[in-house]
């Protein structure tokens, strides 16, 4: 059970269709596959998606911090010394996706060693989640066509619509077109990725008051401290903190500030260990959570559903588990499948996934 080696392998898989949102756009999944090897031949895996416009990490920075700082601090720890692993990685500030991937690869290795699913180890509440699909910026007709295709093909009936463009009427129009096309029974919510000022966000929410939005996420920057509080106090749509609340301390601050009333948990940035801290913190405070998507590939999505399904509090709402559908390929031997609007947890030991060696050889960037 001793960690012998930690690898960080860059890979790049193009998207069939880019995802565009207020803080950036993604054309290629230029992620890092992290592998934790143990002295008894077990290999745990997870992926780190660099999001420079959200956390400042790049593919190169993730590899550097894993190779130079984390790997030497983790070698010789056992897979059960996760608190020590966590404390050592926390000596380095920032780098959330790199830390998260190492944490999840350690959990995967532990599950494989014990022959038990990580989802069962974490809590084992259920084996599936309803899926929410994220619709990026495009002309209204394209956004509607995408939502209809995803509904008809995969049975998805929950949509997160990217907003935060100027003028706000662009997004108000898109949300109105989606509601008109999809009818009253689908769930719609919005995510602004910090694109609006508080007054723009307030105007947009007023203009969409009849659209039955269930959540509004990160409409304005976290530094608009009083503006966010002002906005949250005047809307009946719950405010989700996503990129402003990526540590337990930030979650506390956003909630106590009155800047947010719900929290997005992303295993891509808090792994399993810190995600569980945040989940329990929210549950104890009576705050709803959403399992978010950091534009994950299938490895990351398998991690999100394993965590989300493991706990009652995170399994309630639909999880954002479908962005991989837009990738041209992926790394798994058996692709994930969304059917009837749901994604199931992989049953095998660990996270339940296997990396296809030929696919990794084709997409890796270091050879
Ligand atoms: C989201 O929920 O914001 C966009 C940037 C990022 O880091 O995650 C995505 C989705
Ligand atoms: Mg978000």
């Amino acid at each position: 059970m001793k960690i012998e080696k930690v690898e960080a392998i860059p890979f790049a898989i193009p998207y069939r269709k880019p995802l565009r949102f207020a803080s950036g756009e993604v054309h290629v999944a230029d992620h890092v596959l992290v592998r934790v090897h143990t002295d008894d031949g077990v290999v745990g895996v997870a992926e780190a998606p660099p999001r420079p416009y959200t956390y400042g990490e790049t593919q190169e920075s993730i590899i550097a911090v894993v190779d130079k700082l984390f790997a030497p601090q983790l070698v010789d720890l056992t897979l059960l010394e996760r608190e020590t692993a966590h404390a050592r990685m926390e000596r380095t500030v920032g780098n959330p996706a790199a830390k998260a991937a190492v944490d999840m690869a350690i959990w995967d290795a532990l599950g494989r060693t014990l022959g038990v699913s990580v989802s069962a180890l974490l809590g084992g509440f259920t084996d599936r989640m309803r899926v929410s699909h994220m619709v990026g910026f495009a002309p209204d007709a394209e956004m509607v066509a995408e939502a209809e295709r995803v509904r008809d093909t995969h049975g998805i009936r929950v949509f997160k619509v990217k907003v935060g463009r100027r003028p706000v009427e662009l997004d108000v129009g898109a949300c109105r077109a989606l509601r008109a096309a999809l009818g009253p029974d689908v769930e719609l919510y919005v995510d602004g990725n910090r694109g609006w000022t508080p007054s723009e966000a307030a105007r947009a929410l007023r203009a969409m008051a009849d659209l039955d939005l269930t959540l509004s996420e990160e409409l304005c920057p976290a530094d608009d401290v009083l503006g966010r509080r002002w906005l949250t106090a005047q809307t009946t749509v719950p405010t989700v903190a996503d990129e402003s609340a990526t540590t337990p301390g930030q979650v506390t601050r956003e909630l106590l500030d009155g800047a947010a009333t719900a929290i997005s948990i992303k295993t891509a940035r808090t792994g399993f260990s810190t995600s569980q801290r945040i989940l329990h913190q929210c549950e104890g405070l009576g705050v709803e959570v959403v399992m978010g998507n950091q534009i994950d590939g299938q490895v990351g999505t398998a991690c999100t559903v394993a965590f989300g399904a493991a706990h009652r509090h995170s399994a309630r709402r639909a999880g954002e588990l479908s962005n991989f559908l837009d990738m041209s390929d992926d790394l798994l031997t058996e692709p994930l499948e969304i059917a009837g609007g749901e994604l199931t947890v992989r049953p095998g030991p660990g996270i339940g996934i296997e990396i296809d060696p030929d696919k990794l050889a084709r997409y890796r960037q270091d050879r």
Side-chain angles (χ1 to χ4, degrees), residues 134 160 162 191-193 217-218 242-243 264 266 293 320:
M134 190 143 63
K160 166 157 120 173
K162 286 298 190 183
D191 182 0
N193 288 112
E217 183 170 311
E218 294 294 5
D242 173 14
E243 57 265 41
S264 173
K266 292 183 173 173
N293 188 320
E320 296 165 7

Side-chain angles (χ1 to χ4, degrees), residues 288-355:
E288 279 187 68
V289 303
V290 186
M291 290 310 300
N293 188 320
Q294 209 158 287
I295 320 171
D296 305 308
Q298 294 194 22
V299 177
T301 304
C303 291
T304 304
V305 73
F307 182 90
H311 311 89
R312 188 177 58 154
H313 197 59
S314 51
R316 283 203 179 112
R317 299 197 65 89
E320 296 165 7
L321 299 164
S322 60
N323 279 87
F324 72 84
L325 295 172
D326 288 332
M327 285 169 63
S328 59
D329 200 0
D330 219 303
L331 297 181
L332 302 190
T333 51
E334 271 182 69
L336 301 184
E337 272 185 41
I338 299 171
E342 293 184 333
L343 182 65
T344 49
V345 176
R346 281 301 173 81
I351 296 161
I353 53 172
E354 294 301 335
I355 303 298

Side-chain angles (χ1 to χ4, degrees), residues 14-302:
Y15 271 80
R16 272 194 291 263
K17 180 175 86 59
L19 181 73
R20 297 195 163 89
F21 42 96
S23 56
E25 50 188 68
V26 172
H27 297 256
V28 179
D30 51 352
H31 299 179
V32 177
L33 188 75
V34 170
R35 292 204 286 212
V36 168
H37 299 252
T38 71
D39 58 351
D40 26 39
V42 170
V43 185
V45 294
E47 75 175 328
R51 298 285 165 254
Y53 31 79
T54 317
Y55 314 107
E57 291 171 284
T58 64
Q59 199 180 40
E60 293 77 10
S61 79
I62 289 170
I63 293 166
V65 80
V66 171
D67 285 351
K68 298 217 162 77
L69 296 176
F70 299 158
Q73 291 171 344
L74 298 174
V75 164
D76 285 341
L77 288 181
T78 79
L79 297 173
L80 293 173
E81 292 176 288
R82 290 186 309 283
E83 280 288 302
T84 307
H86 184 77
R88 290 191 185 170
M89 287 198 284
E90 282 307 312
R91 289 178 193 156
T92 303
V93 298
N95 296 281
K99 288 174 185 167
V102 171
D103 174 76
M104 293 190 290
I106 292 176
W107 274 94
D108 186 42
L110 179 65
R112 287 170 192 261
T113 303
L114 301 175
V116 178
S117 124
V118 163
S119 200
L121 281 176
L122 288 168
F125 179 66
T126 176
D127 68 345
R128 62 197 58 230
M129 287 188 84
R130 282 185 303 128
V131 175
S132 162
H133 182 70
M134 190 143 63
V135 183
F137 295 161
D140 291 1
E142 281 177 37
M143 293 171 75
V144 168
E146 179 188 337
E148 288 178 334
R149 179 179 51 80
V150 165
R151 177 197 61 191
D152 297 344
T153 316
H154 302 283
I156 294 176
R157 306 190 58 77
V158 183
F159 296 93
K160 166 157 120 173
V161 188
K162 286 298 190 183
V163 298
R165 290 178 287 187
R166 294 202 167 92
V168 300
E169 285 71 23
L170 274 175
D171 295 323
V172 173
C175 291
R176 200 163 283 293
L178 284 160
R179 176 57 82 204
L182 300 170
D185 297 335
V186 304
E187 179 178 342
L188 287 184
Y189 59 106
V190 292
D191 182 0
N193 288 112
R194 300 161 277 139
W196 285 331
T197 62
S199 59
E200 285 171 324
R203 267 189 61 230
L205 287 178
R206 273 200 307 276
M208 295 191 286
D210 60 331
L211 297 184
D212 191 25
L213 300 177
T214 54
L215 301 169
S216 73
E217 183 170 311
E218 294 294 5
L219 298 184
C220 353
D223 284 350
D224 293 352
V225 179
L226 291 182
R228 279 161 67 101
R229 199 184 292 179
W230 170 82
L231 179 68
T232 301
Q234 68 180 269
T235 170
T236 54
V237 182
T239 308
V240 182
D242 173 14
E243 57 265 41
S244 62
T246 67
T247 64
Q250 287 172 351
V251 168
T252 305
R253 232 171 274 144
E254 288 305 299
L255 293 173
L256 292 188
D257 264 4
T261 47
I263 297 294
S264 173
I265 296 182
K266 292 183 173 173
T267 51
R269 68 171 172 232
T270 38
F272 295 137
S273 303
T274 306
S275 293
Q276 208 166 43
R277 287 174 159 86
I278 291 175
L279 177 79
H280 291 152
Q281 175 185 9
C282 290
E283 193 173 15
L285 290 168
V287 166
E288 279 187 68
V289 303
V290 186
M291 290 310 300
N293 188 320
Q294 209 158 287
I295 320 171
D296 305 308
Q298 294 194 22
V299 177
T301 304

